[in-house]
Amino acid sequence: MEKSSSLKLFGSWASSYTHRVQLALKLKNIQFEYIEEDLSNKSEALLQFNPIYKKVPVLVHDDRPLVESVIILQYVDEVWNNRPILPTDPYERAVVRFWCHFADDKLGPAVGVVFASSGDVQKAAVDQVHENLALIERELREGYFKGRKFFGGDSIGLLDIVLGCGSYWLAVFEEVMTGVKLVDPEAFPLFHAWLREFESLDEVKETIPAVDKLLEYAKAVRAMLLGHCMGNTGVIETATPATAAASATTTASVPDITVDSS
């Protein structure tokens, strides 16, 4: 395993954004010290290294902190150039960065509203998730990544890491929320096949927590989120897209969309 002079990762076990950095470091065979953060009682070190957003993950390299998972991933790829995760072609790098932004700006928040809502609000959010997945499916079918096993080609790259570390939550959410189907293999066959390939990788299996643990966590968080959305009458369906989105983005620990991971 390749040695780094001093490398520490502050993260949270359920954070898909933390998993992104863990997976990249594992793929590059880089040693690092992992510090698990209690997001309800953040350490002084975390607040010192990320005083603006106060979120995980934070990578500290030789006492110099880096924040925001996609920025961290690109830094790691530039510093340790073995097993590259970014393409060498400038245009392809730009395309990859665009879809990484799409994942965090469009897909992730839509999934968050599904998870934090119920009734008509949830149905509308599910439609939004499907619209976003349809765009990714089209890109796999006829766009820049047509014919590839992974977005990175024969092996996973930056976009695979960004999309994959988070997409495993979709099946967990379907299990938690009765009647909700987010990834239909018939509607999104290429995305579904890509996700199965991603999840089958040894490095991914070593990074992502056990499904049972994720399920238990997701059930507890959803119950808490629905409590935030309830009015005085206790009717969950009265939540609006705005209140559901606000609840999803302000809760201390929400799978894949938490303000405490990025």
Side-chain angles (χ1 to χ4, degrees):
M1 180 170 285
E2 184 174 332
K3 289 186 177 181
S4 59
S5 47
S6 175
L7 197 64
K8 297 180 181 179
L9 175 62
F10 292 79
S12 174
W13 74 269
S15 164
S16 59
Y17 302 98
T18 297
H19 299 156
R20 291 174 177 180
V21 181
Q22 289 175 313
L23 178 55
L25 294 173
K26 188 178 294 290
L27 287 169
K28 289 177 175 286
N29 206 29
I30 299 170
Q31 288 182 328
F32 64 97
E33 178 185 353
Y34 177 72
I35 297 99
E36 176 71 17
E37 278 290 328
D38 178 358
L39 299 182
S40 64
N41 184 27
K42 298 170 187 176
S43 70
E44 288 298 324
L46 176 66
L47 299 178
Q48 174 190 343
F49 288 130
N50 193 359
I52 298 175
Y53 293 111
K54 304 177 176 64
K55 302 187 296 185
V56 297
V58 175
L59 186 71
V60 182
H61 185 205
D62 290 338
D63 296 322
R64 297 180 299 178
L66 296 115
V67 301
E68 302 296 316
S69 63
V70 176
I71 293 174
I72 294 172
L73 292 175
Q74 293 181 73
Y75 174 83
V76 167
D77 202 46
E78 291 175 0
V79 174
W80 294 277
N81 55 19
N82 64 307
R83 178 58 178 84
I85 58 174
L86 269 167
T88 56
D89 178 71
Y91 179 77
E92 184 174 349
R93 290 168 78 97
V95 172
V96 165
R97 286 170 173 147
F98 168 82
W99 285 105
C100 286
H101 177 73
F102 174 86
D104 285 345
D105 184 59
K106 294 291 187 182
L107 181 58
V111 174
V113 176
V114 172
F115 188 69
S117 62
S118 185
D120 291 341
V121 172
Q122 187 181 71
K123 291 178 182 177
V126 169
D127 289 342
Q128 186 63 56
V129 171
H130 289 166
E131 289 178 13
N132 290 330
L133 290 177
L135 293 172
I136 297 173
E137 181 74 15
R138 185 179 68 183
E139 189 69 13
L140 287 167
R141 185 179 62 250
E142 57 192 55
Y144 195 88
F145 306 105
K146 178 182 178 180
R148 294 190 180 186
K149 180 179 181 180
F150 297 108
F151 291 99
D154 293 331
S155 58
I156 64 174
L158 178 68
L159 182 54
D160 296 281
I161 294 171
V162 169
L163 268 177
C165 292
S167 292
Y168 59 84
W169 278 113
L170 298 176
V172 174
F173 291 172
E174 289 176 350
E175 185 73 19
V176 171
M177 299 176 291
T178 304
V180 172
K181 188 67 176 177
L182 296 175
V183 183
D184 185 343
E186 295 185 3
F188 312 111
L190 297 177
F191 179 83
H192 183 267
W194 162 79
L195 184 56
R196 297 288 82 80
E197 290 282 359
F198 177 83
E199 292 175 334
S200 70
L201 296 173
D202 290 338
E203 294 89 349
V204 173
K205 293 177 181 178
E206 294 169 3
T207 302
I208 307 305
V211 172
D212 289 348
K213 189 176 182 181
L214 293 174
L215 275 171
E216 181 181 1
Y217 173 74
K219 288 176 181 178
V221 174
R222 177 162 164 79
M224 178 174 59
L225 285 174
L226 292 183
H228 280 286
C229 289
M230 278 184 170
N232 293 330
T233 61
V235 179
I236 296 171
E237 284 74 15
T238 57
T240 66
T243 59
S247 180
T249 55
T250 57
T251 302
S253 187
V254 183
D256 202 35
I257 53 166
T258 170
V259 295
D260 283 313
S261 353
S262 59

